[in-house]
Amino acid sequence: MKKLISKLTLSLVLFLSFGMTAEAQLAKSGKFSGTFNGAGKVVAVHMLGEAPVFILAEIFGGSKNDAGSGIFHMSSFKCTFANEVVQMPKTVGNGYCTVRDADGDLFTMRASEKGSLVGPAVGTTTFVHGTGKYKGITGSGWYKATPLPEIQPGTFQMAATMGGTYKLP
């Protein structure tokens, strides 16, 4: 019985180790496409009369790579964005997003977007920093975020598609 438990334990350890090693492998360069969902909260609003002119927001969510593995697959993210209302309801925004994968490695992207207070936003991203397997990452991407109904006042939700390319040293 002890031998059977030892063999099962060893098999489980090897299986889990293989799975973690396989996930940690990442091609040195490639394309990616996928989806992400986010939920956010308005942190601050600057008003001009009754209209907002500047909105600071935090967004949290998760992403999935269409390939079923690789960069962005089953990852979590946090973004901080500053949006300016340039002509009601049109907005332009800039921010940073940090993504954490299942191994705990991180990468950060700078993002710029154009959109609307009540409609979709389209944006571009540039990789600016990485840790672990993402150290030295470069590349760029795009996204299109579509708003979902808010769950409570002061929050917002979105569903999005994304794609791009990356390169590792």
Side-chain angles (χ1 to χ4, degrees), residues 97-148:
C97 296
T98 297
V99 179
R100 178 184 304 267
D101 72 9
D103 297 326
D105 295 331
L106 304 167
F107 59 87
T108 299
M109 302 173 302
R110 180 183 312 112
S112 297
E113 70 178 33
K114 292 182 180 182
S116 168
L117 287 175
V118 294
V122 294
T124 58
T125 59
T126 304
F127 292 99
V128 295
H129 179 71
T131 67
K133 68 180 141 302
Y134 303 113
K135 187 172 183 168
I137 191 168
T138 59
S140 61
W142 60 269
Y143 63 91
K144 181 175 181 182
T146 303
L148 300 171

Side-chain angles (χ1 to χ4, degrees), residues 31-34 125 140-143 161-165:
K31 295 182 179 183
F32 61 88
S33 64
T125 59
S140 61
W142 60 269
Y143 63 91
T161 56
M162 65 174 168
T165 59

Side-chain angles (χ1 to χ4, degrees), residues 42-57 81-86 88 91 117:
V42 173
V43 177
V45 177
H46 295 260
M47 304 291 286
L48 185 59
E50 294 184 20
V53 292
F54 179 80
I55 302 165
L56 183 61
F81 255 83
N83 284 304
E84 179 185 359
V85 180
V86 291
M88 189 59 89
T91 61
L117 287 175

Side-chain angles (χ1 to χ4, degrees), residues 39-44 55-60 79 81 152-157:
K41 171 177 150 167
V42 173
V43 177
I55 302 165
L56 183 61
E58 284 188 328
I59 306 139
F60 296 88
C79 302
F81 255 83
Q152 69 182 44
T155 67
F156 55 91
Q157 288 72 43

